[in-house]
Coordinates of all heavy atoms in Angstrom, one line a residue:
N1 N 136.0 121.2 109.6 CA 137.3 120.7 109.8 C 137.6 120.0 111.1 O 138.6 119.9 111.6 CB 138.3 121.7 109.6 CG 138.4 122.3 108.2 OD1 138.1 121.5 107.2 ND2 138.6 123.5 108.1
Q2 N 136.4 119.3 111.5 CA 136.6 118.4 112.7 C 137.3 117.0 112.1 O 136.7 116.4 111.2 CB 135.1 118.0 113.2 CG 135.1 116.8 114.2 CD 135.4 117.3 115.6 OE1 135.1 118.4 115.9 NE2 136.1 116.3 116.3
P3 N 138.4 116.7 112.8 CA 139.2 115.5 112.2 C 138.2 114.2 112.4 O 137.5 114.1 113.4 CB 140.3 115.4 113.0 CG 140.6 116.8 113.5 CD 139.2 117.3 113.7
I4 N 138.2 113.4 111.4 CA 137.6 112.1 111.5 C 138.5 111.0 111.0 O 139.6 111.3 110.3 CB 136.3 111.9 110.6 CG1 136.6 112.1 109.1 CG2 135.2 113.0 111.1 CD1 135.4 112.0 108.3
T5 N 138.4 109.8 111.5 CA 139.2 108.7 111.2 C 138.9 108.0 109.8 O 137.8 108.3 109.3 CB 139.1 107.6 112.3 OG1 137.8 107.1 112.2 CG2 139.5 108.1 113.6
A6 N 139.9 107.5 109.3 CA 139.7 106.7 108.0 C 138.5 105.7 108.1 O 137.7 105.5 107.3 CB 141.0 106.1 107.4
E7 N 138.5 105.0 109.4 CA 137.5 104.0 109.6 C 136.1 104.6 109.7 O 135.2 104.1 109.1 CB 137.8 103.3 111.0 CG 139.1 102.5 110.9 CD 140.3 103.2 111.2 OE1 140.3 104.5 111.4 OE2 141.5 102.6 111.2
A8 N 136.0 105.8 110.3 CA 134.7 106.5 110.4 C 134.3 106.9 108.9 O 133.1 106.8 108.5 CB 134.8 107.7 111.3
F9 N 135.2 107.4 108.1 CA 134.9 107.8 106.7 C 134.4 106.6 105.9 O 133.4 106.6 105.3 CB 136.1 108.4 106.2 CG 136.0 108.9 104.7 CD1 135.8 110.2 104.4 CD2 136.0 108.0 103.6 CE1 135.6 110.6 103.2 CE2 135.9 108.4 102.3 CZ 135.7 109.8 102.2
A10 N 135.2 105.5 106.1 CA 134.8 104.4 105.3 C 133.5 103.7 105.8 O 132.6 103.3 104.9 CB 135.9 103.2 105.5
E11 N 133.1 103.7 107.1 CA 131.9 103.2 107.5 C 130.8 104.1 107.1 O 129.7 103.5 106.6 CB 131.9 103.2 109.1 CG 130.9 102.3 109.7 CD 129.6 103.0 109.8 OE1 129.5 104.2 110.1 OE2 128.4 102.2 109.6
L12 N 130.9 105.4 107.1 CA 129.8 106.2 106.5 C 129.7 105.9 105.1 O 128.6 106.0 104.5 CB 130.1 107.7 106.8 CG 129.0 108.7 106.4 CD1 127.6 108.3 106.9 CD2 129.4 110.1 106.9
C13 N 130.7 105.9 104.3 CA 130.6 105.6 102.9 C 129.9 104.3 102.6 O 128.9 104.2 101.8 CB 132.0 105.4 102.2 SG 132.8 106.9 102.0
R14 N 130.1 103.3 103.4 CA 129.4 102.0 103.3 C 128.0 102.2 103.6 O 127.0 101.7 102.8 CB 129.9 101.0 104.4 CG 129.6 99.6 104.2 CD 130.4 98.6 105.1 NE 131.9 98.6 104.8 CZ 132.8 99.0 105.5 NH1 132.6 99.7 106.7 NH2 134.1 99.0 105.0
S15 N 127.6 102.9 104.7 CA 126.1 103.1 105.0 C 125.4 104.0 104.0 O 124.3 103.7 103.8 CB 126.2 103.8 106.5 OG 124.8 104.2 106.7
S16 N 126.1 104.9 103.4 CA 125.4 105.9 102.5 C 125.3 105.3 101.1 O 124.5 105.8 100.4 CB 126.2 107.2 102.6 OG 127.4 107.1 101.9
G17 N 126.1 104.4 100.8 CA 126.2 103.9 99.4 C 127.2 104.6 98.6 O 127.4 104.3 97.3
L18 N 128.0 105.6 99.1 CA 129.1 106.3 98.4 C 130.1 105.2 98.1 O 130.8 104.7 99.1 CB 129.5 107.4 99.2 CG 130.6 108.4 98.6 CD1 130.1 109.1 97.2 CD2 131.1 109.2 99.4
R19 N 130.4 105.2 96.7 CA 131.5 104.2 96.3 C 132.8 104.9 96.5 O 133.2 105.8 95.8 CB 131.2 103.8 95.0 CG 130.1 102.9 94.9 CD 129.8 102.4 93.4 NE 130.0 103.3 92.4 CZ 128.8 104.0 91.8 NH1 127.6 103.6 92.1 NH2 129.1 104.8 90.9
R20 N 133.7 104.5 97.5 CA 135.0 104.9 97.6 C 135.9 103.7 98.0 O 135.4 102.6 98.2 CB 135.1 105.9 98.8 CG 134.4 107.2 98.4 CD 135.2 107.9 97.3 NE 134.5 109.2 96.9 CZ 133.6 109.4 96.0 NH1 133.1 108.3 95.3 NH2 133.1 110.6 95.7
P21 N 137.3 103.8 97.9 CA 138.2 102.6 98.1 C 138.1 102.3 99.7 O 139.2 102.4 100.3 CB 139.5 103.1 97.6 CG 139.4 104.6 97.8 CD 138.0 105.0 97.5
I22 N 137.0 101.9 100.2 CA 136.9 101.7 101.7 C 137.7 100.7 102.3 O 138.0 100.6 103.5 CB 135.4 101.6 102.2 CG1 134.8 100.4 101.4 CG2 134.7 102.9 101.8 CD1 133.3 100.2 101.9
D23 N 138.2 99.8 101.5 CA 139.1 98.6 102.0 C 140.5 99.1 101.9 O 141.3 98.3 102.5 CB 138.8 97.4 101.3 CG 137.4 96.8 101.3 OD1 136.9 96.9 102.5 OD2 136.9 96.4 100.5
D24 N 140.8 100.3 101.5 CA 142.2 100.8 101.6 C 142.3 102.0 102.3 O 142.2 103.2 102.1 CB 142.6 101.2 100.1 CG 144.0 101.5 99.9 OD1 144.8 101.8 101.0 OD2 144.6 101.8 98.8
L25 N 142.4 101.6 103.7 CA 142.4 102.8 104.7 C 143.5 103.7 104.6 O 143.4 105.0 105.0 CB 142.3 102.1 106.2 CG 140.9 101.5 106.4 CD1 141.0 100.9 107.9 CD2 139.7 102.3 106.2
A26 N 144.6 103.3 104.1 CA 145.8 104.3 104.0 C 145.4 105.2 103.0 O 145.7 106.3 103.1 CB 147.0 103.4 103.5
R27 N 144.8 104.8 101.8 CA 144.4 105.7 100.7 C 143.3 106.7 101.3 O 143.3 107.9 101.0 CB 143.8 104.9 99.6 CG 143.5 105.8 98.3 CD 143.1 104.9 97.2 NE 142.8 105.7 95.9 CZ 142.2 105.2 94.9 NH1 142.1 103.9 94.8 NH2 142.0 106.0 93.9
I28 N 142.3 106.2 102.0 CA 141.2 107.1 102.7 C 141.9 108.0 103.6 O 141.6 109.2 103.5 CB 140.3 106.1 103.4 CG1 139.5 105.2 102.5 CG2 139.3 107.0 104.3 CD1 138.5 105.9 101.7
Q29 N 142.9 107.7 104.3 CA 143.6 108.6 105.1 C 144.4 109.8 104.3 O 144.3 110.9 104.8 CB 144.6 108.0 106.1 CG 145.1 108.8 107.2 CD 144.1 109.3 108.1 OE1 143.4 108.6 108.7 NE2 143.9 110.5 108.3
R30 N 145.0 109.3 103.2 CA 145.5 110.4 102.4 C 144.4 111.3 101.8 O 144.6 112.6 101.7 CB 146.2 109.9 101.2 CG 147.5 109.2 101.6 CD 148.5 108.7 100.3 NE 147.7 108.1 99.2 CZ 147.6 106.7 99.2 NH1 148.0 105.9 100.2 NH2 147.0 106.2 98.1
M31 N 143.3 110.8 101.5 CA 142.2 111.6 101.0 C 141.7 112.7 102.1 O 141.4 113.9 101.8 CB 140.9 110.7 100.6 CG 141.2 109.9 99.4 SD 140.0 108.5 99.2 CE 138.5 109.3 99.1
L32 N 141.6 112.1 103.3 CA 141.3 113.0 104.4 C 142.4 114.1 104.7 O 142.1 115.2 104.9 CB 141.0 112.2 105.7 CG 139.7 111.4 105.6 CD1 139.7 110.4 106.7 CD2 138.4 112.4 105.6
D33 N 143.6 113.7 104.8 CA 144.8 114.6 105.1 C 145.0 115.7 104.1 O 145.4 116.7 104.4 CB 146.0 113.7 105.2 CG 146.1 112.8 106.4 OD1 145.3 113.0 107.2 OD2 147.0 111.9 106.4
N34 N 144.7 115.5 102.8 CA 144.9 116.4 101.8 C 143.7 117.1 101.3 O 143.9 118.1 100.5 CB 145.7 115.7 100.7 CG 146.9 115.2 101.1 OD1 147.8 116.0 101.3 ND2 147.2 113.9 101.1
A35 N 142.6 117.0 101.9 CA 141.4 117.8 101.6 C 141.5 119.1 102.4 O 142.0 118.9 103.6 CB 140.1 117.1 101.9
N36 N 141.1 120.2 102.0 CA 141.3 121.3 102.9 C 139.9 121.9 103.4 O 140.0 123.0 104.1 CB 142.2 122.4 102.3 CG 141.5 122.9 101.0 OD1 140.6 122.5 100.4 ND2 142.1 124.0 100.5
L37 N 138.9 121.2 103.2 CA 137.6 121.6 103.7 C 136.9 120.4 104.1 O 136.5 119.7 103.0 CB 136.9 122.7 102.9 CG 135.5 123.1 103.4 CD1 135.7 123.9 104.7 CD2 134.9 124.1 102.3
L38 N 136.5 120.1 105.2 CA 135.6 119.1 105.6 C 134.6 119.5 106.5 O 134.8 120.0 107.6 CB 136.5 118.0 106.5 CG 135.7 116.8 106.8 CD1 135.2 116.0 105.6 CD2 136.6 115.9 107.7
L39 N 133.4 119.4 106.0 CA 132.1 119.8 106.8 C 131.5 118.4 107.3 O 131.3 117.5 106.4 CB 131.1 120.5 105.9 CG 131.2 122.0 105.8 CD1 130.9 122.8 107.0 CD2 132.6 122.5 105.2
T40 N 131.1 118.3 108.5 CA 130.6 117.1 109.0 C 129.3 117.3 109.7 O 129.1 118.4 110.2 CB 131.5 116.3 109.9 OG1 132.0 117.2 111.0 CG2 132.8 115.8 109.1
A41 N 128.4 116.3 109.7 CA 127.2 116.3 110.5 C 127.2 115.1 111.5 O 127.5 114.1 111.2 CB 126.0 116.2 109.5
W42 N 126.7 115.4 112.7 CA 126.7 114.6 113.8 C 125.5 114.5 114.6 O 124.8 115.5 114.8 CB 127.8 115.1 114.8 CG 129.1 115.2 114.2 CD1 129.7 116.3 113.6 CD2 130.2 114.2 114.3 NE1 131.0 116.0 113.2 CE2 131.4 114.7 113.7 CE3 130.4 112.9 115.0 CZ2 132.6 114.1 113.6 CZ3 131.5 112.3 114.8 CH2 132.7 112.9 114.2
D43 N 125.0 113.4 115.0 CA 123.9 113.0 115.9 C 124.5 112.5 117.2 O 124.9 111.4 117.2 CB 122.9 112.2 115.2 CG 121.7 111.9 116.0 OD1 121.5 112.7 117.1 OD2 120.7 111.2 115.6
G44 N 124.8 113.5 118.1 CA 125.6 113.1 119.2 C 126.9 112.8 118.9 O 127.6 113.6 118.1
D45 N 127.4 111.5 119.2 CA 128.8 111.2 118.8 C 128.8 110.4 117.5 O 129.9 109.9 117.1 CB 129.4 110.2 119.9 CG 129.7 111.0 121.2 OD1 129.9 112.2 121.1 OD2 129.6 110.4 122.2

């Protein structure tokens, strides 16, 4: 549950090949705001 930005989410989707509405950052933000479990992996920052 480490908060991430819609921009970071969209960029990782782009890099990974995951198809999500990455050009609609408001929608991405709703997706992040309303999920109740977010596990993240980090290499440094």
Side-chain angles (χ1 to χ4, degrees):
N1 292 327
Q2 168 83 34
I4 61 174
T5 65
E7 292 84 3
F9 182 98
E11 197 278 323
L12 182 53
C13 288
R14 195 174 291 111
S15 169
S16 70
L18 182 64
R19 294 184 309 260
R20 292 296 180 266
I22 58 176
D23 295 324
D24 185 348
L25 293 180
R27 185 174 179 189
I28 294 289
Q29 191 61 59
R30 286 193 311 274
M31 291 164 58
L32 290 168
D33 290 346
N34 292 295
N36 62 348
L37 181 57
L38 179 66
L39 280 282
T40 53
W42 302 82
D43 187 358
D45 291 334

